[in-house]
Amino acid sequence: MVIDALFKALADPTRLRIARLLSAMELAVGELAQVLGQSQPRVSRHVGILCDAGLAERRREGSWVFLRAVSGEDAGPVLAALDRLLATAEAENGEFAKVCVDDRRKLAAIRHAREANAEQYFAQHASEWDELRALHTPEVQVEEQLIKALNEDSLGCMLDIGTGTGRMAELFADHADHINALDKNVEMLRVARAKLQHLPASKVDLVQGDFADLPFAAASFDTVLLHQVLHFAPDPAIPLTEAARVTKAGGRIAIVDFAAHEHEELRDRHQHARLGFTDDQMRALLRAAGFTPEKPHALDGGELVVKIWIGKRPNDPLGAVPDSALDTPAKKLEL
């Protein structure tokens, strides 16, 4: 970070307010404009200066652009100093303190609006989800078993593929150093954002992306999770090869999905491309992707049996995913 750019970025009261807001939570440009009471073009100009100074970063999600405080190893001391500066300014400057109080009130209104939108989305789809949940093991039991299956104090850097409502990211927030929660559906990401907004802004990144083409560098994650996601893949080998690509040597993948079943209606009602998986099918998929399968866990308690499959990436280079698999789609397995 260039010192001159830092001073320039923080010389404006509006940019100080924006920095204060982004330290609390990730916000869309329109939401920032709503809090600040300014036009979006004007807010965008201020945001551009903060981004150029390395104090904020943009992330596009569909047609929306979200802003957050910059993260990374180099940002720690700078952001800590900035937080102290803003706290001091609020404590010693009565006018700035009033503005901050008003900003926090509007921020609370945005949190409430997000939650209301999420509740409306749930209400629209509740009957569909209730129908599916009635067929399988209660989710609380699945979650308890999943925690046991991963049985480590820290999951390191974690990727939750197909995060949906964000429940898995919420469940493992205390067990992981950082979580990237990915979903292709923008509406679901907004639901997840509402659910996760009580967590520290630096704890979870919500990312729009496709499980067949993950927007992450190779060997980025210690733990990768696909919770009730793989049955949506016409060719499950492709997302698993992508998952292997972004998993570090010695890292693990956890797959929560249905055992093979004959509920054909799920294809039409819930767009399931696969009617579950046998243990042999999953072992073949994991091995082909470069994982060493562990003993699966089965959870009875419904017409659909939920299973948890764990795979580990070997530590030695000889067990790594072939170079050809990093650049091209996985060959389709006959399952």
Side-chain angles (χ1 to χ4, degrees):
M1 294 182 183
V2 181
I3 298 300
D4 288 345
L6 281 174
F7 281 120
K8 177 183 177 182
L10 299 176
D12 185 276
T14 296
R15 292 195 285 275
L16 284 176
R17 290 170 66 190
I18 292 174
R20 191 70 159 154
L21 291 165
L22 296 182
S23 68
M25 62 189 286
E26 185 182 65
L27 290 163
V29 174
E31 291 173 331
L32 272 174
Q34 180 182 337
V35 173
L36 298 169
Q38 299 181 13
S39 67
Q40 288 200 29
R42 185 175 181 184
V43 170
S44 294
R45 181 175 62 82
H46 285 303
V47 164
I49 294 172
L50 288 172
C51 289
D52 290 343
L55 294 170
E57 53 191 13
R58 302 179 182 90
R59 186 177 55 76
R60 181 167 292 280
E61 186 177 291
S63 61
W64 287 34
V65 175
F66 282 89
L67 291 310
R68 64 180 180 181
V70 72
S71 58
E73 295 180 0
D74 297 334
V78 174
L79 293 183
L82 177 58
D83 282 342
R84 289 195 296 271
L85 171 65
L86 294 173
T88 300
E90 185 174 348
E92 297 182 356
N93 186 315
E95 197 61 36
F96 186 64
K98 291 179 182 178
V99 170
C100 288
V101 169
D102 191 48
D103 284 351
R104 280 193 285 271
R105 177 181 60 79
K106 293 177 180 177
L107 205 59
I110 286 174
R111 290 180 188 270
H112 178 74
R114 287 179 176 182
E115 291 168 356
N117 289 335
E119 289 174 4
Q120 181 180 4
Y121 185 84
F122 278 126
Q124 291 172 347
H125 298 274
S127 60
E128 304 167 18
W129 292 334
D130 286 345
E131 177 189 26
L132 186 56
R133 278 195 292 262
L135 293 175
H136 65 75
T137 310
E139 291 172 2
V140 64
Q141 294 180 29
V142 176
E143 293 175 1
E144 289 172 356
Q145 187 61 51
L146 180 57
I147 291 173
K148 290 179 183 178
L150 289 173
N151 68 11
E152 288 189 359
D153 293 335
S154 176
L155 300 175
C157 190
M158 184 175 189
L159 172 61
D160 178 21
I161 298 177
T163 194
T165 66
R167 172 55 187 161
M168 290 297 103
E170 180 182 45
L171 180 67
F172 288 106
D174 292 336
H175 301 271
D177 298 331
H178 184 80
I179 298 175
N180 276 272
L182 176 138
D183 207 286
K184 187 175 183 178
N185 188 303
V186 174
E187 196 64 42
M188 288 308 303
L189 284 174
R190 290 173 187 164
V191 171
R193 182 170 288 105
K195 187 177 188 66
L196 300 173
Q197 59 187 3
H198 65 285
L199 296 174
S202 60
K203 189 68 175 183
V204 180
D205 285 340
L206 292 165
V207 182
Q208 185 184 17
D210 192 329
F211 62 9
D213 185 19
L214 296 173
F216 306 107
S220 295
F221 301 99
D222 302 288
T223 308
V224 175
L225 173 64
L226 292 99
H227 179 270
Q228 297 293 7
V229 172
L230 204 58
H231 56 247
F232 291 111
D235 182 358
I238 294 176
L240 285 184
T241 298
E242 269 292 271
R245 180 183 65 81
V246 302
T247 303
K248 298 177 182 178
R252 293 186 299 170
I253 187 171
I255 300 167
V256 181
D257 220 302
F258 298 124
H261 61 84
E262 297 182 357
H263 285 264
E264 288 284 348
E265 72 277 8
L266 296 185
R267 295 191 192 273
D268 296 326
R269 293 184 187 177
H270 300 282
Q271 290 74 54
H272 288 201
R274 308 299 299 244
L275 298 183
F277 303 90
T278 67
D279 288 340
D280 286 343
Q281 288 171 341
M282 191 59 73
R283 274 193 294 268
L285 284 164
L286 287 170
R287 285 174 178 151
F291 291 101
T292 300
E294 298 181 2
K295 183 179 179 180
H297 306 263
L299 294 94
D300 296 322
E303 295 180 46
L304 295 175
V305 174
V306 176
K307 303 207 76 168
I308 299 172
W309 293 276
I310 305 290
K312 186 172 182 178
R313 288 274 275 123
N315 285 301
D316 61 283
L318 294 177
V321 178
D323 290 341
S324 59
L326 299 182
D327 302 317
T328 58
K331 292 182 179 179
K332 185 172 182 178
L333 294 177
E334 295 299 329
L335 301 178

